[in-house]
Amino acid sequence: MSVEAVTVDAYPEEGAVLPTRQHVTGFGFYVYLLSDGILFAALFAAFAVLHGATDGGPDSHALFSARNAFIETACLLTSSFTCGIAMLACDRRNRFVTLVGFLLTGVLGAMFLTLEVREFSDLIARGAGPDRSAFLSSFFTLVSTHGIHVTCGLLWLTVLLVQFLGRGFTPAITRRFLCFSLFWHVLDIVWIALFTFVYLIGGYL
């Protein structure tokens, strides 16, 4: 009995359907989003375990601002809506609506980050920095990791818009817009979970 060796550089059989670059990119990006989900799941688990480890310091009930958290949520969820509108316009090759939609997404994302940085600055000024207790370390790590992702998303969007203004609706640009929109919507889902479990359940219930 013989065994045929299969190599990665073997020629495909005649009539075989090879994956397109778009399919490969899409699969790879979904794998990345899955790995990001695992990262945030670990951070949520750490926060749940360390939630009561305040070391005699302030807990979530004494620290978190409902008003600030609600405004942050409104900014990010609205940015998800404008991102969706921009993608619909992108599918229809509507240059103006695509540009305006993504610009609004970026502005709302920047507003969200500004509010988050202001919240961190206020907590640190009150002596509730990440070095105060294990609870605050887990809180800052979880929320700032999400904030870093939003920052990277805004930088990515800026580069995409510059490319879009210069090249228009090329296949590569539309594929990158799709990947960005998936990334942005996942960040919104993560924030909904964060807002619910950290600010609502953890801070007020």
Side-chain angles (χ1 to χ4, degrees), residues 11-34:
Y11 289 103
E13 296 180 2
E14 184 177 354
V17 179
L18 295 178
T20 64
R21 183 176 181 182
Q22 185 171 0
H23 290 154
V24 173
T25 301
F27 175 76
F29 199 73
Y30 278 117
V31 171
Y32 160 70
L33 293 178
L34 178 62

Side-chain angles (χ1 to χ4, degrees), residues 32-191:
Y32 160 70
L33 293 178
L34 178 62
S35 68
D36 242 15
I38 295 172
L39 168 65
F40 279 108
L43 294 178
F44 273 110
F47 179 82
V49 171
L50 299 173
H51 180 259
T54 60
D55 193 30
D59 61 8
S60 55
H61 295 83
L63 292 175
F64 298 152
S65 167
R67 178 178 178 273
N68 193 73
F70 275 113
I71 296 174
E72 286 178 316
T73 303
C75 288
L76 207 56
L77 292 185
T78 305
S79 76
S80 184
F81 174 76
T82 58
C83 183
I85 293 297
M87 278 308 302
L88 290 175
C90 184
D91 291 339
R92 291 168 172 77
R93 300 299 188 265
N94 188 322
R95 185 184 180 96
F96 176 75
V97 177
T98 299
L99 182 60
V100 171
F102 280 125
L103 283 175
L104 288 175
T105 300
V107 170
L108 290 165
M111 290 172 61
F112 169 85
L113 281 179
T114 301
L115 291 169
E116 191 167 275
V117 170
R118 188 176 69 178
E119 178 187 26
F120 283 179
S121 299
D122 180 63
L123 290 174
I124 293 173
R126 292 158 58 187
D131 57 341
R132 177 62 183 83
S133 64
F135 155 65
L136 284 168
S137 294
S138 63
F139 166 76
F140 273 91
T141 301
L142 173 58
V143 179
S144 64
T145 299
H146 179 268
I148 290 171
H149 278 72
V150 173
T151 303
C152 292
L154 291 178
L155 294 174
W156 182 11
L157 180 59
T158 301
V159 173
L160 281 179
L161 290 178
V162 171
Q163 294 176 339
F164 175 64
L165 289 173
R167 304 176 190 176
F169 290 108
T170 66
I173 295 297
T174 54
R175 184 174 65 248
R176 291 164 191 167
F177 275 145
L178 174 61
C179 289
F180 169 79
S181 68
L182 292 173
F183 175 79
W184 199 255
H185 291 314
V186 167
L187 289 185
D188 290 340
I189 294 171
V190 171
W191 177 257

